[in-house]
Amino acid sequence: MSSVPKKDMKEMITQYEQQNSRRVSEDPWRCGFHLMPVVGWLNDPNGLCHFKGEYHIFFQYAPMFPSDSLKAWGHYSGKDLLHLQYEGAAILPDTAYDQDGAYSGTALVEDGKMYLFYTGNVKRDGDYDYILSGRESNTMLISSEDGINFSEKKCILDNGDYPPDYSCHIRDPKVWRENGRHYLALGGRTKKDKGTVLLYQSVKPGDFEYWELVNEITTEDTFGYMWECPDFFRLNGKMVLSVCPQGLEAEETRFQNVYQSGWFLPEGDIGGEYRLETFTEWDMGFDFYAPQTFVDDKGRTILIGWAGVPDAGFEEPTVERGWVHLLTVPRELTERNGKIYQWPVAELDQMRGEKRNVPEGVWTANPGGRFDWIIQNSKRADFEVWISEELKIAYSGGHVTMEFTGDMGAGRTVRKAECHNLNQMRILADSSILEVYINGGELVMTTRIFPKDMDYKVMLVVNCLVPDTINNSLWYL
Ligand code: FRU
């Protein structure tokens, strides 16, 4: 695609989508209520917002993957989160500022306009150092009156504007308004390989073109060499910083994927003196990264993540079927006593059809591979859930484990998280993805699964002699 004249790019993508989306849609591993690319590759959610009565969900999109991995933004929109329409490619890498990728970014809705901020990626060919000088990272701005047609692109920050002690890895703007001022956060990597967030403030209130650096947000000791996709937002009045650190050492019950994604509750003032202490991962499963939040018209703070991880070394089996990756369901966030809970937005309950109780210890059919299963465990008994003979989710000895029985390669065997007093587990299954919410969403584990048989059976095994310890309800979706 890079060699195609830029003006023809949109047309070429549309044509390619028309020619290939039918074949892709016939894949039994396609999902029913998760957002996927119509063809090709998807990664981070981008530009999430509620604008003029509609939800807008953009995403990193490489339609012609694997033959071309150049990133554009794809776009879904709709009046509610259950009925989202694909709107085509929205931001194309078609200028000198973003020729090697319209990378991730966010939306700001203000004065009847949607503003999108993103990273224009430009790779430098030749004898450049990959970390220090191999790319230009342009912070770009476009706006829209209707969410579909966009203004000319403007570059508002470029490599010359970033601090001199930084590598060329600076990206993924988040912009928000607080106390009448606008802030812009960028994820970064210093020349000393420390992950940080650069915090800018608009020079004049209401002006998005001029920004001054006000702070560098990071931990005291190095916590990963690079922080991608920063997001600042308030929950229950408290400031939250969500980031994706790269380069953390794996531990037995933490940091088990190649890159991490989680949150801090910064203490103090992020514009001045602050401290970042505890980092909590958003999701302890195999497939989660680069989440983004937004507030909708009902005042809900909603998070959507990419159900995938970059550089994980796992070749998704859907690639040969013409598509790869998807987004998680929208999760409403709430905060209680310093903990953040994630819960599928309530409107997803409307999908529930026939309800049944899964009897213990016997395989139960699961037509179509789509269900919402809530297991109540009032006496905190140890139990196991089996998804065919392929995946076991077990609560035992103060841990939850998610374990594949076969060898999928790339370290996709087991994920283990600490969990004491498991009183509830909800499994949302959609053909080739499972999202597991524990204790009201205090702990979440997401995984892709590629079952041989799409009507995969499920089984519940309770390891407790006391009768009636566990009740469950499973709805077909
Ligand atoms: C995170 C990320 C971002 C970047 C985008 C490119 O997955 O690497 O940092 O903007 O993906 O697709």
Side-chain angles (χ1 to χ4, degrees), residues 312-324:
F314 174 56
E315 170 80 352
E316 305 269 333
T318 61
V319 171
E320 61 191 38
R321 302 173 181 204
W323 70 286
V324 59

Side-chain angles (χ1 to χ4, degrees), residues 43-44 60 71 103-104 171-172 228-229 289-290 306 310:
N43 57 298
D44 315 355
Q60 286 286 284
K71 301 282 170 64
Y103 274 14
S104 284
R171 55 180 167 269
D172 309 334
E228 292 191 314
C229 303
Y289 198 69
W306 168 29

Side-chain angles (χ1 to χ4, degrees), residues 398-429:
H399 293 103
V400 179
T401 50
M402 201 178 230
E403 191 170 357
F404 284 99
T405 50
D407 181 11
M408 301 176 81
R412 289 181 75 88
T413 314
V414 64
R415 290 294 178 269
K416 182 173 181 182
E418 258 184 56
C419 179
H420 305 281
N421 299 325
L422 189 154
N423 56 53
Q424 183 202 55
M425 182 182 283
R426 176 176 181 185
I427 304 176
L428 207 48

Side-chain angles (χ1 to χ4, degrees), residues 162-179:
Y162 307 129
D165 55 334
Y166 272 69
S167 73
C168 63
H169 289 267
I170 296 182
R171 55 180 167 269
D172 309 334
K174 158 82 185 192
V175 177
W176 78 103
R177 185 190 170 105
E178 173 115 10
N179 299 328

